Amino acid sequence: MSRIDIRSEQPGHWTGSSQLILPMPRDQAKQPWQSALRRKIGWEGLVTINRRTVIASALTAPFLQPGAASGRTYDQGVSATEIKLGQTTAYSGPVSGAASMKRVQVAYFDKLSAEGGINGRKVSLISLDDGYSPPKTVEVTRKLVESDEVFAIFNSFGTPTSAAVQRYLNIKKVPQLFVSSGAARFNDPVSSPWSCPALPDLQDVGALYARFILNKFPGAKIAILFQNDDFGKDMMRGLKQGLGSQNANMVIKEVSYESTEPTIDSQIVTLKSSGADLFINLSTGRATVQSIKRVFEIGWKPVHIVNGAFGTIFEVFRPAGLEKTKDIYSSAFVKDPADPTWFEDSGMVEYFEFMKKYMPDVSMYNRTSLSSYVTAQAMAHVIRLAGDDVTRANVMRIATSLTDLRIRDLLMPGVTINTTPEKRNLFGKEVMAQFNGERWDVLGDF
């Protein structure tokens, strides 16, 4: 079964690359059957046949290609009855709220396994704590690959943490699938062919906001708050590229903040004093809640755009106060489960039932939980398409060639899943919406 482990103590297992080498008689060192045996065994480079050694093929074939005799082909972490996935997330530390969305995925795969699995295999998701600390991410990811021997790393949380293990996973040729990030670095098929991001490209999101502003508010004086890391900088880059050099003077003030800062009150005051009438809020988590409150408290009334990752009713708007969030614009790729508009949709009803049964201690109105549920379904779809060719190369091929995939009526109107080897984001686009104090009014793409 899947498990959540914050101690990282599971022992290692047999590896599919194990070898058995027996002595070879000197007088048989150059016999012609060598090349035939090499061709039969395959996996050139893993097995060496020379004048001193010979592989006992009848014994080692199961180690080299498990399931080959039955027409199945699979890599480390897969057997005839199981596929093992691994992930890291923050079960502790400053962003431990991320824990709930990964628990949703563990529960989802446990549910699938109890119902017979995928293509007859149960799916075990080993979810480990990294405390949102890149050095810890390196440690536990190595454990997942080298000790737990997982098939792939799936939907690990965070840009800096996933970046810390990106090179390692690509060198090891372990799929880094559907990273919980939209940073451009994970969509680099040349340098990182084994990485795929889940979230929309942050630069594309920034460009969407630029198109929206030029269409709806062409004369705006823009102030921007952004987090001083890849998350904020990528969206800033896309925003400025989208505005173009001819509209660069629309941005009259931009202020950054560090994710570790306890408050961003002074930044909001500075942005208001600029005289801007449109505020692009590229903050995250606690800072987003604080910024919404502060804008309201100081009587600043700009057109307010909150980045889509944190434009959520239950997690952000309710803590900030719904009366302070009316008319905010944002973007999204999945429906907001706290929006009454979607309560009767078939996919949402199914999601609510899942949460009530398998995750009763987590609010079903949490949009990050819904996003995690949708991403797990996409991963299950990829595994299902792989059939009995559950190799890392084949799964990467499938993951980067999805066409018009919709997940149980849970994506926003106008959003489908399309991936290519060049554009790998699982969720490739977002649509704009405006909050009316109770629900989102969908405005569409721009």
Side-chain angles (χ1 to χ4, degrees), residues 264 309 323:
I264 43 79
E323 72 282 3

Side-chain angles (χ1 to χ4, degrees), residues 203-343:
Q203 293 187 42
D204 289 350
V205 174
L208 169 63
Y209 299 157
R211 295 193 300 272
F212 174 71
I213 291 167
L214 292 175
N215 184 280
K216 294 291 187 181
F217 308 100
K221 293 181 290 184
I222 301 171
I224 308 170
L225 175 69
F226 68 98
Q227 186 165 287
N228 189 29
D229 60 8
D230 284 350
F231 179 87
K233 291 176 181 178
D234 274 359
M235 274 195 285
M236 284 285 286
R237 189 174 296 112
L239 174 66
K240 291 184 176 181
Q241 289 174 350
L243 289 174
S245 58
Q246 67 275 28
N247 298 302
N249 61 353
M250 292 177 68
V251 179
I252 63 173
K253 191 67 176 179
E254 53 188 73
V255 178
S256 68
Y257 75 97
E258 302 297 328
S259 61
T260 54
E261 291 185 48
T263 177
I264 43 79
D265 284 0
S266 64
Q267 285 92 334
I268 298 300
V269 172
T270 298
L271 291 170
K272 180 192 176 185
S273 66
S274 70
D277 55 18
L278 191 148
F279 173 35
I280 302 178
N281 190 344
L282 306 182
S283 61
T284 68
R286 177 183 61 190
T288 309
V289 174
Q290 290 178 350
S291 62
I292 292 171
K293 287 181 176 180
R294 192 60 174 157
V295 165
F296 184 85
E297 289 165 357
I298 63 177
W300 189 22
K301 297 182 180 180
V303 173
H304 192 167
I305 300 174
V306 171
N307 80 85
F310 294 91
T312 62
I313 299 173
F314 181 81
E315 301 100 303
V316 175
F317 287 8
R318 286 190 181 278
L322 290 182
E323 72 282 3
K324 302 177 180 68
T325 61
K326 188 175 184 299
D327 297 329
I328 283 180
Y329 294 96
S330 191
S331 58
F333 58 90
V334 295
K335 295 173 179 177
D336 194 324
D339 185 339
T341 303
W342 317 120
F343 283 176

Side-chain angles (χ1 to χ4, degrees), residues 110-140:
D110 281 349
K111 171 183 178 292
L112 282 188
S113 296
E115 294 170 348
I118 303 174
N119 301 328
R121 295 182 183 87
K122 69 177 183 179
V123 181
S124 298
L125 175 58
I126 305 173
S127 188
L128 303 185
D129 181 37
D130 65 5
Y132 201 61
S133 167
K136 183 66 174 178
T137 308
V138 172
E139 175 189 337
V140 296

